[in-house]
Amino acid sequence: QVQLVESGGGLVHPGGSLRLSCAASGSIFSVYGMGWYRQAPGKQRELVAYISSGSSTTYADSVKGRFTISRDNAKNTVYLQMNSLKPEDTAVYYCNADGLVDLAGTALIDDYWGQGTQVTVSS
C-alpha cells in the first residue's frame, strides 16, 4: 500500500518561511511526477507547484519567485520551500504523486494523495 505523508506545516507570520516535506512509502521503486496543491476554505483545490520525474518544474503564478519545489528521488520525497509567505497562502497543502513504479517493476498510473498539512500565515 502506498502512502504519502506530509510534514512541516504550521503557523507563521507574514514574510516568514516554511518548508513542507512529503515522503512516499510502501512497495515503491520510483515515483513519477509529484506536486503540491492547496485548498483554502470555500475555495477549490489548486495546483501550487509540480516537479516531473526529470525535475522539470511548474509553478502557479501566485507563488512564482517565492516557492521552490524540489525532490530527492533516492528518498521518494518532495519538498516545498515557501518564502515571503502571505496571508493568502493560508490553506491546507496536499502532496500528490501522479504515478509510480512498484518493486515488481509495474507502472501504476493513478493519483496518490497525502492527508494534508495546514499552513496558516497570520500576524
Side-chain angles (χ1 to χ4, degrees):
Q1 185 159 350
V2 175
Q3 280 190 315
L4 300 182
V5 179
E6 300 115 333
S7 60
L11 172 65
V12 63
H13 293 309
S17 298
L18 282 175
R19 189 190 194 213
L20 305 183
S21 300
C22 171
S25 64
S27 300
I28 300 171
F29 175 73
S30 64
V31 183
Y32 290 164
M34 301 186 79
W36 289 95
Y37 291 71
R38 67 186 180 188
Q39 187 166 19
K43 295 189 176 182
Q44 289 190 328
R45 190 174 298 190
E46 62 174 357
L47 175 67
V48 176
Y50 175 85
I51 185 166
S52 71
S53 57
S55 295
S56 296
T57 58
T58 301
Y59 296 93
D61 288 342
S62 60
V63 307
K64 282 181 182 176
R66 301 188 297 123
F67 291 9
T68 302
I69 190 170
S70 60
R71 65 188 293 165
D72 184 335
N73 291 331
K75 296 181 179 179
N76 290 324
T77 298
V78 64
Y79 307 96
L80 186 68
Q81 178 66 44
M82 305 186 292
N83 299 330
S84 303
L85 282 160
K86 305 175 181 180
E88 51 263 43
D89 295 317
T90 296
V92 178
Y93 283 70
Y94 296 91
C95 173
N96 171 270
D98 60 16
L100 54 92
V101 178
D102 68 13
L103 294 178
T106 301
L108 303 174
I109 307 302
D110 200 357
D111 274 321
Y112 299 88
W113 293 95
Q115 80 286 356
T117 185
Q118 177 70 46
V119 171
T120 302
V121 184
S122 175
S123 54

